[in-house]
């Protein structure tokens, strides 16, 4: 490779400037050797040499670079950092001189077997009690990852996807590579470039920050970690004992139940623990975070845990947290959760026997999605009997929540109490979602909106829980003012408005239906409020229908009259028929009259159809 | 607020009737009871504890191995016994039998699928420090029974057989359950009222909590099974008759006849046959001083369920 393509100068915001910044911050005015591994054309040599009592030594595999560095008056050596003997080589080169600091800027990714130099550094740094500054390109920069997602992977002669890179690093993989060799990050001053050298073609719709897709992908990338714009990781690393590779052997439960308590509701906590002790499915752990509790409350909570049957007691982990607001204990527990799914259960709610079992049953069918069940809400109060506090229901359980989850509906109001939905660990492991600790209320709703958007929701329409709605006693509902609730509510909506939204399949149908109904209401509203003309037209129509009804009624009256006359005639004829002279004695003429009379009755106006017409007209007028 | 305890250590016998009960739910219940006894023993509240199971199923629900496994769960319970009755006794007759087969200061009437909180029993036992208290009921979760009680004292109309603690001497004094009249439902209402008739108090201690699972519909309503509808209808007629509420009996008979629920019609027929054959109990409480009949319930309810 040509050394000239890496002929960059020190700048305050590039890797060299960041390296010097970290050295100044962590090493200061130390004296001895500064070893610059994979030094290339040694851009930092001049700056290092300006530090009193500091001697620069450049190391590179490229002879031309080394020659050029030497030509500038610096000590430089050719060395293969891939070699298993590199530690020995470096020790020989140092020859007993004191090592003050080390740098390896944009070199590790070029090595075939980087672990040899990393292990050598761990040993040397420990021996000389100093640090090394690493600079490594970030392959998870948004420009690279977005293009990769859309099928583009373009090597370049230098930069993030330099064609000579052998190994590519993310934050996690760099951390892991260092840790496995006995090194750990102690400080960082990363190079940030919102548009990297991979930001091409510049009119790529997904790279753009103005297209919905570009905005969504960047929001998603930014929500996972801070490195969507990190061009190079520039870290100060120090030696630590080599961390053995851990193979997870402990049991991984299905569900991590996350509960926070301030210990103010010990009886309610007792009740919810009883619900957990009674679960038909026991494959869960309970992470109970005592948040900002004093010593006596902590003891009270510990005693309550001690009261539990061994089966539940063994599944409870009591965590203590003295900082943060409402959301802090949730995140604190989440960091320690081992379950494939997690769920929040407040210390004053209740769950049914099949609560865990229901989630578990549906996990197997729809892996990776949020599973949502139903809760009834019941108004409750605190009461006291024989000196003991207890919870007392004061109204029938109701179902105030939507039976089916709709993301669009949740954008305006939360319809899902936190203990009705379990979320898979991918939400916080892979999407790095956490409960927003800046929110003083509604943190669960805000989290649900973000999580549901990316992993979706599976509805299970079983009632598995009760939400206890405190009517007059203190609860989170009453502990915060109406204004505070409203502000948080507005904040959730503001955040959702600030970026594109990913709707699940089928959601547009719900939105369309709601819009159609809204259109109808608006149309009706406009019709009613459009002025006298429209109302006048309607009144005119009513008058016309009324007039028509009058006519029909007159016709009906005539018809009834005619019917009555005919009935009378039939009656008379029957009377005559029943007279002592039998009909067979009648003359043919008389028989003819009888027959005709009956026929006339039979062909009289079809009264049912007339009545029907009248009824219809009546309805029209009424409507 | 200090934890209330009984004045002196007590012995308790749990009487529970199995009917097709799953071993898993028994295991869970028994483990919870054993935990209660652990806490009771640690606090010096318990002298002896017996868990008596009476099986009214056609075939035994427990094998020898099951029983052994359950007994092995009993690290603190003194005795866990099992009797297969060989007949469907219902709860009244079955619990009467078990009461005769056990001895203790207190009797705990209990459904086999109920899981008590560790402190529930001792809080209930502490409520009996007042000598006039004959029966104490616990609060059920996750769906609380809606019947009303007096704040402060806990006085209530009746205590549920799903989990009520009764003084043995009071149980015997009133003659136990009326097994001739009641098979499954209202036996506890009748027992409570006879206890009150004998001059004792019936109360609920809602801080003593037990888990007794229920299923609610998607709109939060109760979902009774056919058997529950039949037996509760039959019991409704019988208890109204026994507690001298002839007008309620007539009204129920009319409603059951006019309705289209086959369970209710069947209950009506059974009642009429009993009446015809003189197998109804002698009415009592003619002045309606004890029995409470309100809106189809046996106590004033705080809400409907």
């Amino acid at each position: 490779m040509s050394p000239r393509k890496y002929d960059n100068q020190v700048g305050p915001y590039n890797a060299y400037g960041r390296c010097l910044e970290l050295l100044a911050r962590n090493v200061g005015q130390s004296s001895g050797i500064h070893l610059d591994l994979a030094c290339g054309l040694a851009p930092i040599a001049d700056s290092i040499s300006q530090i009193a009592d500091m001697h620069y030594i450049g190391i590179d595999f490229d002879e031309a670079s080394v020659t050029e560095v030497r030509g500038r008056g610096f000590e430089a050596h050719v060395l293969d950092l891939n070699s298993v003997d590199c530690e020995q080589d470096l020790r020989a080169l140092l020859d007993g001189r004191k090592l003050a600091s080390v740098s390896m800027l944009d070199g590790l990714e070029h090595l075939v077997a980087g672990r040899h130099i990393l292990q050598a550094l761990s040993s040397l740094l420990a021996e000389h009690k100093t640090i090394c500054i690493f600079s490594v390109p970030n392959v998870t920069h948004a420009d690279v990852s977005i293009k990769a997602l859309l099928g583009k992977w373009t090597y370049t002669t230098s930069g993030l996807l330099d064609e000579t890179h052998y190994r590519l690093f993310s934050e996690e993989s760099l951390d892991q590579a260092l840790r496995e060799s006995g090194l750990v990050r102690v400080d960082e001053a990363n190079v940030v470039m919102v548009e990297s050298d991979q930001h091409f073609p510049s009119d790529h719709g997904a790279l753009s920050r103005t297209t919905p897709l570009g905005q969504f992908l960047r929001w998603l990338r930014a929500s996972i970690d801070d490195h969507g714009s990190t061009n190079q990781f520039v870290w100060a690393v120090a030696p630590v004992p080599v961390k053995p590779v851990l193979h997870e052997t402990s049991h991984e439960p299905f569900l991590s139940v996350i509960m926070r308590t301030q210990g103010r509701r010990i009886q309610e906590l007792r009740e919810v623990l009883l619900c957990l002790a009674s679960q038909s499915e026991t494959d869960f752990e309970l992470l109970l975070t005592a948040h900002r509790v004093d010593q006596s409350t902590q003891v009270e909570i510990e005693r309550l845990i001690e009261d539990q049957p061994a089966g539940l007691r063994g599944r409870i982990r009591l965590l203590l947290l003295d900082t943060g607001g409402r959301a802090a204990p949730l995140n604190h527990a989440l960091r320690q959760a081992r379950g494939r799914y997690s769920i929040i259960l407040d210390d004053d709610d209740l769950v049914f026997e099949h609560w865990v079992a229901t989630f578990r049953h549906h996990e197997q069918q729809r892996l990776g999605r949020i599973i949502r069940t139903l809760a009834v809400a019941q108004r409750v109060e605190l009461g006291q009997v024989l000196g003991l506090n207890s919870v007392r229901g004061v109204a029938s359980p109701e179902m105030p929540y939507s039976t089916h989850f709709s993301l669009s509906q949740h954008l305006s109001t939360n319809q899902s109490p936190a203990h009705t939905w379990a979320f898979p660990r991918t939400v916080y492991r892979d999407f790095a979602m956490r409960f927003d600790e800046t929110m003083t209320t509604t943190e669960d709703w805000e989290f649900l909106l973000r999580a549901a958007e990316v992993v979706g929701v599976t509805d299970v329409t079983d009632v598995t829980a009760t939400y206890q709605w405190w009517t007059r006693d203190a609860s989170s509902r009453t502990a915060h003012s109406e204004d505070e609730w409203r502000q948080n509510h507005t904040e959730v909506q503001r955040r959702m408005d600030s970026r594109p939204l990913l709707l699940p399949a089928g959601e547009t149908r719900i939105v369309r239906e709601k819009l159609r109904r809204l259109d109808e209401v608006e149309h009706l509203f406009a019709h009613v409020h459009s002025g006298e003309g429209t109302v006048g037209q309607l009144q005119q129509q009513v008058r016309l229908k009324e007039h028509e009804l009058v006519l029909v009624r007159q016709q009906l009256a005539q018809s009834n009259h005619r019917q009555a006359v005919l009935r009378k005639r039939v009656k008379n004829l029957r009377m005559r028929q029943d007279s002592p002279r039998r009909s067979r004695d009648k003359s043919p003429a008389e028989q003819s009259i009888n027959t005709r009379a009956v026929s006339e009755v039979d062909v009289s106006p079809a009264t049912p159809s007339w009545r029907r017409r009248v009824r219809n007209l009546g309805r029209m007028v009424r409507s | 607020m200090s934890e209330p305890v009984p004045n002196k250590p007590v012995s308790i016998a749990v009487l529970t009737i199995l009917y097709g009960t799953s071993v898993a739910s028994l295991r869970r219940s028994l483990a919870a009871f054993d935990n209660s006894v652990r806490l009771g023993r640690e606090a010096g509240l318990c002298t002896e504890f017996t868990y008596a199971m009476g099986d009214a199923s056609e075939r035994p629900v427990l094998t020898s191995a099951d029983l052994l496994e359950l007994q092995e769960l009993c690290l603190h319970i003194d005795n866990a016994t099992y009797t297969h009755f060989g007949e469907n006794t219902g709860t009244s007759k079955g619990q009467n039998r078990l009461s005769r087969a056990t001895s203790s200061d207190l009797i705990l009437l209990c459904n086999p699928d109920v899981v008590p909180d560790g402190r529930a029993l001792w809080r209930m036992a502490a409520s009996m420090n007042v000598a006039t208290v004959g029966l104490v009921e616990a609060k059920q979760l996750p769906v609380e029974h809606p019947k009303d009680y007096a704040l402060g004292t806990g006085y209530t109309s009746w205590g549920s057989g799903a989990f009520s603690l009764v003084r043995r001497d009071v149980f015997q004094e009133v003659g136990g359950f009326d097994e001739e009249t009641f098979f499954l439902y209202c036996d506890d209402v009748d027992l409570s009222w006879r206890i009150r008739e004998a001059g004792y108090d019936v109360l609920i201690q809602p801080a003593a909590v037990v888990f007794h699972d229920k299923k609610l519909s998607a709109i939060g309503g109760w979902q009774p099974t056919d058997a529950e509808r039949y037996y509760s209808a039959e019991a409704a007629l019988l208890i109204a008759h026994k507690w001298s509420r002839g007008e309620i009996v007539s009204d129920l008979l009319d409603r059951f006849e006019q309705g289209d629920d086959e369970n209710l019609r069947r209950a009506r027929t059974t009642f009429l046959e009993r009446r015809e054959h003189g197998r109804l109990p002698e009415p009592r409480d003619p002045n309606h001083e004890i029995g409470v009949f309100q809106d189809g319930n046996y106590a004033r309810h705080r809400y409907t369920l």
Side-chain angles (χ1 to χ4, degrees), chain A residues 123 219 242 256 351 404 409 468 523 525 535 551:
Chain A
S123 170
W219 165 77
V242 174
S256 294
V351 295
H404 290 82
Q409 185 187 25
Q468 301 204 114
H523 182 70
F525 191 76
V535 174
L551 293 177

Side-chain angles (χ1 to χ4, degrees), chain B residues 102-157:
Chain B
T102 54
S103 60
S104 59
D105 301 326
L106 305 173
I107 285 172
L108 183 77
L109 309 170
C110 173
N111 278 20
D113 56 344
V114 168
V115 180
D117 166 64
R119 297 283 171 196
L121 269 174
W122 314 112
R123 289 180 174 185
M124 294 164 81
S127 304
M128 290 192 161
N129 287 340
V130 178
T132 54
V133 175
L135 181 149
V136 182
E137 183 193 3
K139 185 179 92 165
Q140 294 180 40
L141 300 176
V143 180
E144 184 191 8
H145 197 287
K147 69 173 179 287
D148 201 9
Y149 56 87
L151 287 171
T153 62
Y155 290 153
T156 191
S157 169

